[in-house]
Amino acid sequence: MRSKGLLERIAPLLALLVLAVSVVVAAKEPKVAKTEFSSIPTNLFYFEDTDIVLVQDRDAGNVYRSTDAGASWDLVDGVPKGQVWEIWQHPFDNTRAYALGLGKIHWRTENQGKTWIEFEIEGTPALFQPPLSFHAESPRKIMLHAQECLGFECKDVTYITSTDFSTVYTLRANTRGCNFAKSSVLFTTGSSVLDNDRILCVVKGRYSPWPKDNRLVVSDDDFVTEFEPELAEGRTVQGIINMAVVKKHIVTAAKSEGTDELALYVTDDAQTWHRAEFPNDHKLEEDAYTILESTNYSIQVDVMTTKPTNAMGVLFSSNSNGTYFTRNIEHTNRDWQGLVDFEKVQGIQGIVLVNTVSNWEEVQDTYLVEKKVQSKISFDDGRTFQPLRLGEKNLHLHSVTDMHNAGRIFSSPAPGLIMGVGNTGDHLEPYEDGDLYVSDDAGLTWWKGRDEAHKYEFGDQGSVLVAVFDEDPTNEIAYSLDHGHSWETVDLGENVKAKLLTTTPDSTSLKFILVGTKGRASNSEHFIFSIDFSELQERKCKDKDFEDWYARVDEEGSPSCLMGHKQFYRRRKAKADCFVDDEFHDPVVQTETCACSDEDFECDYNFVPTEDGKGCQPAGRMIIPQGECEKIDDTYMGSSGYRLIPGNDCDRAGGVKKDEPIERKCSETVKIPASGQVSHIIKNFRGESFKEYYYLERTESSTGDDETVVMRTSEQEIWITHDHGKTWEEILPYEDVMAIYPHQYFNDVVFFITDSKSVHYSTNRGDSIREFKAPEQPNRDSLQILGFHPDHKDWLIWTGAKDCSLFDSEDCHSVAHISTNRGDDWNTLLRYVRKCKFVTQNGRVGSEKLIYCEQYQDEDTDKPLQLIASDDWFAEKTVHFKDIIDFATMSEYIVVAAKSSDQKYLKVDTSVDGKVFADAEFPPNFNVPHQQAYTVLDSSTHAVFLHVTVNTLADYEYGTIIKSNSNGTSYVLSLNGVNRNFAGYVDFEKMEGIEGVAIVNIVDNIEEAANGQAKELKTMITHNDGAEWALVMPPKEDAEGKAFDCSGNINKCSLHLHGYTERSDPRHAFSSPSAIGLMMAIGNVGEYLGPKKEGDTFITQDGGVTWNSVKKGTYMWEYGDQGSVIVIVEQSNPTNVIFYTRDEGKTWNEYQFSEEKMQIDDISTVPSDNSRNFMLWGTDTGSSSDVIVTVNLDFTGLTDRKCELSESDPESGDYYLWSPKHPLQDDDCLFGHVAQYHRKRPEANCYNGQMIHHLHATLRNCSCTRQDFECDYNYERQNDGTCKLVPGLSPADHSQICTTDPSAIEYYEPTGYRRIPITTCQGGRELDISTAHPCPGREDDFNKKRKGISGIGLFFAIVIPFGLAAGVGYWVWRNWDGKFGRIRLGGSDSSSFDSGSPWVSYPVAAVSAIVAVLAAVPLLMASLWRSASGLFPGRTRGGAPQRYTTRSSFARGRGDYAAVENDEGELLGEDSDEEV
């Protein structure tokens, strides 16, 4: 009874409680909570499978945490206020996150942000790449990418921890990005040990900081040891620019210099790599491809096919190992940033939404046409696509390129639910004109959810859809509980502009977060709203509320198969009045197995898709099973060409079996051996001469196998060959092409200039040709017409003629225009210019848009030239100099020739950064009178070489070579009496491929020559970058084995070589950057250099230390296959034979290429000297009419075996390691270190093939010797080799380095010696070391540095990157910046220049040859001589055939002395004897 009474008493209370509960469960609308922030919250993320959220107030530097899905927020505990730069979520552990500061202090949490622990690293986090890399299986194993800085000098470094930063140590320096092999849950090496330990890093080149030399290195012991993987045909690859882990694959991209085409290398085990192959009509270009969200069995890549201003692409999918890509759909819509309208429907295999451009033909021709974008969907993994349908109408949706919310665009883990903003009709309209559309069958059918554009989200596995108006501020949100068929609204309490709408990553929660902003600018208010639907429904769904929903259906609505199975989900019915309410439990996909079909198979290893994509064919010789094919007529059971796609689980019993072995013929596996013979093909053309030709050479990262040459004849016919002259095709037959301009920095691009505004061009080595209109006709001042940017292929400077009619040219002047979209439109830069050029340079901060122009003061050609600079297309400009002669850009310097204030002398100023100039200090009493001149010879070894003319008497010219310090401002004497000619060429040439070797000719009878006596020349060589010079040791015997008629010591009997001043074609160089250690030359043995026609041909195999006689008489030469083949042909007389050597000149073979003799004017090959094809250019002397001839010489038949090279065991195969040396030293030390180069064994019967990165290693630094030093400023070399102060002068003030070099920490008191800039020696005779003093304000850095630096640290701190040195290897053959020729002040009568010489009267041809000049060449260019006449090339010299301006020749410094990049010879002065 007491119990009953108790129940009676509490019954009313229970009723009230039940009522209260029912009110909560059946609430009429969701709960809304609001929190205000001082600035807009960013970087919001959930800890997976929780309601815990972190968000960052970036402006304030604070981090907030919510434990109730955003309803309330608190500052995190343990992180100081205002210290956070970025927060990062651990992708594989939902308890961990990281708060990074901008300094050395950072914080971590291991309990979802509840508490934070401080940790410290030495460097600061990387700003331009993700700073953290995570291990997918070991969550405490993390890498942090950072920079360590000492003063202004910074280096990239990667740290590693295996204890979640409880302890941390340096992994490796000079990294550009690192990943664990196990950076993806799906990826595996196949070894648990390697999965745990393997790390891959993109790192700086061995001796170069530039991207073209970046390498991929791998380590399994945290970089105690490392190795470079073989990415391509058994060779390592340089130029690695990026690396990414894409589910089951690791992808890395490489780019060679001279192209923007990329090579993509893929591995699915971090051990074996393959180059990804795309269809021949598409190529990957830098900033023109996007790796998209991929599947477990394929990589998706979109490749841009148009200019970025109106970008479109093609979608490709790979096979399972990422090797071969096939086309899915054309004309995909993408933007200039690389974003692509592409998304896979989450949780469902095979459904893809893309946007394409329907008016693609119009769009690809001009960026002015608006794209008409249409949406399409595929239900079979991209094999076929169809429109999105809303009833009978097509639906189009805004996608990734027009993103308006975070996360995925259309879908979530909610099975089959998709939303998007768009419209029906012919094509997609602007976002503001769109409405919200919904599909609950994965895109098969659609309906309109709400009018106007909305942000949207999915919750409770699709039971709740939430949307917020996205065009203007709003005070409400909308939601739907029936898959978007009906909607309700909820008041927010504030009128805000929605910035973000989100929920838990798995879309299982009933709670959402909205970030909104109210007001504008300083009056803005920022809020986070929490929207909670958990109390909106009365009950939780039961089994009857669910249905089986098949994820993919065919056209008839039947479930379809993909990867061997059908997919279906158990999901809530749209009209069920319940919530799933299974928070943090993802929907479970279920499968049904299908019988195997054709779609379940792909091409097997060593097979590639056929051209139509419908079959598979062998990629090469097939592997014969052991014991088979004993006879050629036998058969064997081999691969069908197909294999089951890995991961495919189709039922083989009831389906097709395309992978079963088939019978194959043994004859199909037999490789036809090389013929062992040289072959040739002769082609005839009408005309008197070849006016110009250029090689458009493929780079290492380029696709294809063509060897393309474009050529113009004297008949103005343009011809192209893609097979090195075996077949030719005439192009542009009806266009009056007056000049060819290959792009200076991108080999694939070439322009054909006419005398009108029409410019034709190709961006794919002549495969297709397009046209644009220039703003003016080409200029009439013999100036460079097109200027090119080193990094942006489409940025052009056009210098045209204004007010230059035939009848009235009084106002004729040159105007410079710029285009950033390859001629689509133009903007004027400056009027009345002499030249304008880009002066951007790697390492020159803020120089991307920097342009220098020479403009006449007040736009009056009678007034002085000013040097004007701008980095905003001359919206604002800076006048650096008011009266200049000219300027030159070099690898590290900008050198300006200006007149002194008293107008008597030529002064030089130098800049490293392009903004601040410093006066150059010449040696004492070394003024340059206005009637004299000097030539900039080289700056490839961290110093400028100048030739200063001392005697200007015609035909008796000579001068002095002076050399600068590392910042180009202080010069010391290197060598007196160096020969030059009237045209300004200097007998100075750097050897390519080896640092510091140069050859000059000096005038031995200086006093007599100054009085008009014939010059007596001697050849000298330096092996330490001009610090010491010596005569050249002669060979013991001539080519016939006879002793030379020469006796006495080396002063009476040495080898003398003919240089630039005597070359009929000054493009022919002694050496090649890819033929390490080899030089060829014409000369004689005796006391002096004799007449050239009486000379013989010589070769050196050891960098000029010793020489051998090759042939009696004079020959032209070319290096092929990186020096494994050298071809020579007689220079002066008609001939029908060539000679070739395959053992570096030890033996020579004769080959007859014609029955009749012909006059050979030139021999050429590709610029890299890496082809086994050569071309002879000549004249048919036996023809009655004008016939010019090309002869292709093909040496590929000599061998078909590729040389074997192993970096880990470099002398085990066909190569050996060779070290250059100084002839006066007993060891192999040169410039303070021992360097080893790969060289093919002369006796090896194989070919090099892919470019070898010749520098294998620098073994060690050496002790310093006298050869590592040169005399300091105000000091001069004595006869005994010592350096003494010039009488009457004071030592240089070394503290000035603190002003001129912002990174300098210290300086030394003068000793009379200074280091050669490229030496890396340490210890020994350090002749420049004395008392050290700190630079003002750098005392702390000074004290830190004085604590000591390791030997290896000293090496990397001082060594000059090979990538900066001309002649270090093929990788630098394009490092020129486009400055042409010379700046000349007085010295001769301009009229005596032969107007027929190609480098004078053909300035357009010369300018276009800017593509490939190397620093070894003293570059000269006649376009700067005001006496140069003629707008276009077209005349011959003295009736002789015009010499050729070749891309090939310029690659090795033998161009028509035109625009050059980075290192160039420039004659500085002006063509006038007038008083200044």
Side-chain angles (χ1 to χ4, degrees), residues 614-636:
K614 297 180 179 180
C616 297
Q617 60 189 5
R621 282 192 304 162
M622 289 178 287
I623 300 174
I624 304 173
Q626 189 172 2
E628 300 286 349
C629 291
E630 295 182 358
K631 298 179 181 179
I632 191 68
D633 296 329
D634 289 350
T635 60
Y636 68 99

Side-chain angles (χ1 to χ4, degrees), residues 712-748:
R712 182 172 65 92
T713 71
S714 57
E715 301 298 311
Q716 300 300 83
E717 294 176 346
I718 309 299
W719 294 82
I720 190 169
T721 174
H722 295 290
D723 53 15
H724 215 138
K726 295 175 182 176
T727 59
W728 290 88
E729 174 191 1
E730 187 177 4
I731 58 175
L732 301 171
Y734 304 111
E735 299 292 338
D736 190 14
V737 175
M738 305 302 293
I740 304 174
Y741 269 58
H743 198 292
Q744 183 176 350
Y745 305 101
F746 294 91
N747 298 15
D748 301 336

Side-chain angles (χ1 to χ4, degrees), residues 985-1053:
Y985 290 103
V986 178
D987 278 344
F988 172 95
E989 183 169 338
K990 281 288 192 77
M991 183 179 185
E992 301 178 41
I994 298 177
E995 44 188 350
V997 178
I999 293 175
V1000 301
N1001 284 335
I1002 64 166
V1003 179
D1004 194 49
N1005 59 333
I1006 288 179
E1007 294 182 2
E1008 294 80 359
N1011 294 319
Q1013 183 174 323
K1015 292 185 284 190
E1016 295 178 338
L1017 303 181
K1018 288 190 173 186
T1019 298
M1020 303 193 78
I1021 190 170
T1022 178
H1023 293 270
N1024 59 356
D1025 208 35
E1028 298 175 305
W1029 296 86
L1031 295 169
V1032 182
M1033 290 295 295
K1036 295 181 179 180
E1037 56 187 31
D1038 64 16
E1040 297 175 350
K1042 300 177 183 178
F1044 289 100
D1045 185 16
C1046 179
S1047 61
N1049 60 26
I1050 194 169
N1051 290 316
K1052 294 291 185 180
C1053 190

Side-chain angles (χ1 to χ4, degrees), residues 52-265:
I52 301 174
V53 190
L54 291 185
V55 74
Q56 183 177 354
D57 185 337
R58 191 176 288 242
D59 289 352
N62 295 324
V63 179
Y64 293 85
R65 179 175 185 258
S66 173
T67 59
D68 51 12
S72 61
W73 296 88
D74 297 296
L75 276 170
V76 297
D77 182 30
V79 178
K81 289 184 178 180
Q83 299 299 307
V84 176
W85 163 62
E86 195 79 67
I87 56 174
W88 286 83
Q89 182 180 17
H90 198 301
F92 306 112
D93 188 331
N94 72 341
T95 65
R96 303 178 190 276
Y98 306 88
L100 302 181
L102 277 174
K104 299 180 179 181
I105 305 300
H106 316 281
W107 301 266
R108 62 185 176 89
T109 179
E110 53 191 29
N111 54 11
Q112 297 174 337
K114 183 177 181 179
T115 59
W116 294 77
I117 303 167
E118 181 182 296
F119 66 93
E120 182 176 356
I121 60 169
E122 183 63 28
T124 56
L127 298 178
F128 304 109
Q129 62 171 312
L132 297 173
S133 297
F134 300 90
H135 197 285
E137 285 186 347
S138 303
R140 292 165 60 84
K141 200 168 187 178
I142 305 166
M143 289 182 287
L144 192 151
H145 311 294
Q147 284 191 328
E148 290 183 359
C149 298
L150 180 61
F152 291 92
E153 297 179 2
C154 297
K155 66 176 180 180
D156 296 316
V157 63
T158 296
Y159 304 94
I160 192 170
T161 177
S162 58
T163 59
D164 198 21
F165 293 106
S166 293
T167 58
V168 61
Y169 57 92
T170 299
L171 178 71
R172 196 191 191 283
N174 298 311
T175 54
R176 301 289 189 261
C178 296
N179 286 103
F180 296 104
K182 190 65 177 178
S183 289
S184 163
V185 174
L186 296 173
F187 186 89
T188 179
T189 63
S191 163
S192 59
V193 175
L194 293 183
D195 279 354
N196 184 67
D197 296 339
R198 178 149 290 190
I199 298 173
L200 303 91
C201 291
V202 178
V203 301
K204 188 183 78 170
R206 291 180 187 273
Y207 312 108
S208 164
W210 309 132
K212 64 185 177 62
D213 297 309
N214 285 354
R215 301 175 297 135
L216 179 67
V217 293
V218 179
S219 179
D220 299 323
D221 54 13
D222 291 349
F223 285 92
V224 175
T225 61
E226 66 180 45
F227 66 92
E228 289 186 61
E230 296 176 347
L231 302 183
E233 300 179 6
R235 302 277 173 87
T236 59
V237 172
Q238 290 188 353
I240 305 296
I241 62 173
N242 208 346
M243 174 179 54
V245 180
V246 185
K247 295 199 173 180
K248 295 179 71 172
H249 305 89
I250 298 177
V251 181
T252 188
K255 186 177 83 72
S256 304
E257 201 163 31
T259 185
D260 56 358
E261 185 174 358
L262 302 180
L264 207 63
Y265 298 95

Side-chain angles (χ1 to χ4, degrees), residues 465 487 593-594 825 946 966 994 1073 1375 1406:
L465 306 183
W487 295 81
T593 302
C594 303
D825 58 10
L946 290 178
S966 60
I994 298 177
N1375 278 356

Side-chain angles (χ1 to χ4, degrees), residues 363 916 944 1133:
V363 171
V916 179
V944 177
N1133 302 314

Side-chain angles (χ1 to χ4, degrees), residues 406-420:
R408 287 180 172 270
I409 303 299
F410 303 117
S411 62
S412 77
L417 271 295
I418 305 178
M419 287 192 284

